[in-house]
Amino acid sequence: MVFQWATKAHTNSLRIPLEQDFSIPVPQNGVFQTSLTDLVKLQLEKALREIQEERDQIKFTSETKLANADALVVGIGDKSLEVEEKLHAAEAKLAEVNRKSSELEARESILQRECLSLTTEYALCTLFLLSILMTI
């Protein structure tokens, strides 16, 4: 383990050389010889694994939520089509009801004119018969 102290404008910095070989240390005389860089490397690797696990979990959760959202969008699209179909059916029924209502109003108007005509004709016939009866 090599420590170098350097003085730069009132600042001390600790320089730790990075080793190229990051293999697990081999015990010497029954004692593990572990350098500070090996410890830092192990801690960084552990932190990296934890971050990767967290990222994987977040990715899985977000993909699950996205799949659920996509399913909701499809479901909403299906419901929207159903509602549209029902709306068109209701509009068609309303148009039919309005058409029949117009027909009934026209027939009612014709019947009212015929009724008025018959009432007038009846009144005229009654007056004619009365005038005939009066002359006899």
Side-chain angles (χ1 to χ4, degrees):
M1 180 163 49
V2 177
F3 291 95
Q4 295 177 349
W5 292 94
T7 306
K8 291 184 181 177
H10 310 291
T11 306
N12 288 332
S13 63
L14 176 63
R15 292 186 187 171
I16 302 171
L18 293 176
E19 298 175 2
Q20 295 301 320
D21 181 21
F22 293 112
S23 60
I24 298 175
V26 179
Q28 296 176 356
N29 299 329
V31 177
F32 278 98
Q33 298 294 321
T34 304
S35 68
L36 181 60
T37 56
D38 290 337
L39 291 175
V40 170
K41 178 190 156 286
L42 291 174
Q43 288 178 340
L44 289 174
E45 287 175 350
K46 179 182 176 190
L48 180 61
R49 276 192 308 275
E50 289 172 355
I51 290 170
Q52 288 172 338
E53 289 172 3
E54 184 178 351
R55 182 195 57 110
D56 291 343
Q57 183 62 37
I58 290 170
K59 183 179 178 185
F60 174 76
T61 302
S62 64
E63 287 173 349
T64 302
K65 287 181 179 181
L66 182 60
N68 290 341
D70 288 342
L72 285 174
V73 167
V74 168
I76 289 170
D78 292 344
K79 290 292 182 185
S80 176
L81 289 175
E82 286 179 31
V83 168
E84 251 182 78
E85 289 172 358
K86 288 180 181 180
L87 179 62
H88 289 306
E91 288 173 345
K93 286 180 181 180
L94 180 60
E96 180 69 15
V97 166
N98 286 337
R99 186 185 62 76
K100 287 184 178 183
S101 177
S102 294
E103 288 176 3
L104 287 175
E105 287 174 2
R107 286 176 63 193
E108 182 182 19
S109 177
I110 290 169
L111 289 174
Q112 284 176 349
R113 283 192 310 248
E114 286 180 0
C115 184
L116 182 61
S117 176
L118 288 173
T119 303
T120 304
E121 190 177 330
Y122 175 75
L124 288 175
C125 286
T126 305
L127 286 175
F128 178 71
L129 286 175
L130 281 175
S131 68
I132 293 177
L133 286 175
M134 302 262 291
T135 55
I136 306 188

